[in-house]
Amino acid sequence: MQKKKKLLVIIGPTAVGKTKLSIELAKRFNGEIISGDSMQVYKGMDIGTAKIKETEKEGIPHHLLDILEPEQEFSAAQFQSRANEAIQEIHTRGKLPIIVGGTGLYIQSVIYDYHFSESPSNPEYRQELEREVKEKGIESVFQKLQAVDPDSAGRIHPNNSRRVIRALEIYHCTGKTMSEQLSEQTKEWKYDTCIIGLTMDRDLLYSRINARVDEMVNEGLFEEVSSLYHKGLRDCQSIQAIGYKEIYGFLEGNLTKESSIEALKQNSRRFAKRQLTWFRNKMDVKWFDMSNLEQFSKKTEEISAYIAGKLCNKANK
């Protein structure tokens, strides 16, 4: 029986410190990093997605960053395919692939080897929902999704009308939610995987999120979003991302600058809460508390020892 290839996964909510830890672990375990973030794939969307800067990479190769234009669509199935390709390439160089990110379904699709099939469509039903969005607003349609598929409703942003409608269309056509279809699949581990989860005291995490938003604004977030806005980007997947839709509200005159910043902070905090709920309910994770920021080195040693026992020692048995 062929041995499974090794894979390290680092997950956790936004602003918990995944990027910094991933660089340290990549240096220790001869790794290359694969972004597990659904929005960092887009070119020109750097500040709002908290994309790692070149100066922060410390020579560690990164994959699945800046691979699409902002107007292009991206799905879990596409991520799965590209991530698997990257994992194979990294192993051919004798290195350890490390997926780092916070998009739960994307990461699940790789480690559990989900099989995505084309779900049937119903154009008439889809058009009916699109009319309802225009007449009553997205909130009305999103409430329908919450009623039939709360799992997907927790994963899809309420403003992303395309994905909300698609999730309802799948349920309408099949009688099963997208989440049910995926959960029915046999969860076989495609790789010899070690999953590390980072958590933090909630008040500290929220404080870090607020500080990160202020830093994004200082680094030019409004200018970055304005550039996309003036290119004519409107109803596309990328612009529904937290950090972009709030600034669009300001650019379209619906929010003041201050209220758009506050909305961004609030939405980021809510997103972090949803991320933690998802990871705790859906994945087999070894959690590490990163609340004591002064003991980062000590915590890194602890995490490294766990990874070595989980991935490296098994190879010697």
Side-chain angles (χ1 to χ4, degrees):
M1 183 176 175
Q2 189 176 11
K3 287 174 63 176
K4 292 181 178 179
K5 291 182 170 63
K6 297 183 185 301
L7 174 66
L8 175 60
V9 177
I10 305 170
I11 60 172
T14 184
V16 78
K18 297 186 296 295
T19 299
K20 183 179 179 182
L21 179 68
S22 69
I23 294 297
E24 287 302 312
L25 295 180
K27 289 190 288 189
R28 288 172 182 243
F29 292 96
N30 191 27
E32 295 187 15
I33 293 170
I34 301 169
S35 169
D37 186 287
S38 62
M39 290 297 153
Q40 292 185 356
V41 296
Y42 292 112
K43 299 173 185 175
M45 296 178 66
D46 304 330
I47 300 171
T49 64
K51 196 178 293 176
I52 188 170
K53 301 178 180 69
E54 283 299 324
T55 53
E56 297 171 331
K57 291 180 181 178
E58 298 189 34
I60 303 297
H62 281 64
H63 305 265
L64 301 197
L65 298 175
D66 302 321
I67 59 173
L68 295 178
E69 299 297 334
E71 60 269 23
Q72 293 179 281
E73 298 288 316
F74 196 56
S75 67
Q78 288 171 288
F79 173 81
Q80 180 192 55
S81 174
R82 288 187 180 247
N84 281 327
E85 287 177 9
I87 289 169
Q88 303 307 319
E89 288 176 14
I90 293 167
H91 272 290
T92 61
R93 290 190 282 275
K95 295 191 173 186
L96 175 68
I98 306 173
I99 298 180
V100 182
T103 305
L105 179 61
Y106 281 28
I107 295 171
Q108 270 191 310
S109 74
V110 175
I111 62 176
Y112 295 134
D113 198 22
Y114 281 156
H115 299 285
F116 292 98
S117 58
E118 281 297 316
S119 297
S121 61
N122 185 317
E124 290 180 2
Y125 179 69
R126 185 166 65 246
Q127 289 165 9
E128 177 187 322
L129 293 176
E130 289 169 350
R131 280 195 299 272
E132 184 174 341
V133 169
K134 287 182 180 178
E135 293 170 6
K136 300 181 180 179
I138 184 59
E139 183 61 29
S140 171
V141 176
F142 186 71
Q143 286 174 356
K144 290 183 177 180
L145 181 61
Q146 286 178 312
V148 300
D149 188 0
D151 203 15
S152 289
R155 192 174 65 244
I156 299 170
H157 194 275
N159 287 351
N160 195 332
S161 59
R162 182 191 62 82
R163 290 188 65 199
V164 170
I165 289 172
R166 181 56 182 152
L168 281 167
E169 185 183 14
I170 289 171
Y171 179 75
H172 179 80
C173 293
T174 65
K176 292 183 178 181
T177 67
M178 198 186 322
S179 308
E180 285 173 332
Q181 292 179 34
L182 291 175
S183 67
E184 288 172 357
Q185 295 192 34
T186 303
K187 286 188 175 179
E188 292 185 8
W189 294 80
K190 183 177 177 67
Y191 302 102
D192 180 4
T193 307
C194 175
I195 309 177
I196 298 298
L198 306 186
T199 187
M200 184 175 280
D201 171 78
R202 187 178 70 173
D203 290 341
L204 176 59
L205 179 65
Y206 286 0
S207 175
R208 282 169 62 86
I209 289 171
N210 292 340
R212 171 182 276 189
V213 171
D214 290 335
E215 184 180 347
M216 287 176 171
V217 172
N218 292 334
E219 287 181 348
L221 177 61
F222 277 80
E223 291 77 8
E224 178 175 279
V225 181
S226 180
S227 173
L228 299 171
Y229 181 82
H230 290 297
K231 286 178 182 175
L233 289 170
R234 294 295 186 274
D235 187 24
C236 53
Q237 180 179 342
S238 61
I239 300 307
Q240 302 301 331
I242 295 172
Y244 295 85
K245 59 187 179 57
E246 295 87 359
I247 312 302
Y248 263 56
F250 163 70
L251 295 171
E252 291 170 346
N254 300 321
L255 295 172
T256 64
K257 185 172 185 177
E258 291 72 21
S259 59
S260 68
I261 293 171
E262 189 50 47
L264 172 50
K265 290 178 178 178
Q266 185 179 65
N267 288 337
S268 297
R269 294 192 299 267
R270 287 174 174 168
F271 178 57
K273 185 177 179 180
R274 289 201 305 271
Q275 284 177 303
L276 278 169
T277 300
W278 171 272
F279 291 134
R280 284 176 174 148
N281 291 340
K282 303 287 184 182
M283 298 172 75
D284 181 17
V285 181
K286 173 66 175 177
W287 291 98
F288 292 90
D289 191 308
M290 306 298 286
S291 298
N292 193 334
L293 301 174
E294 294 179 356
Q295 293 193 354
F296 176 80
S297 297
K298 184 178 178 181
K299 187 63 68 170
T300 302
E301 292 292 341
E302 181 186 342
I303 294 170
S304 297
Y306 175 79
I307 295 169
K310 189 83 172 163
L311 289 181
C312 303
N313 289 352
K314 285 192 294 186
N316 300 325
K317 289 181 180 178

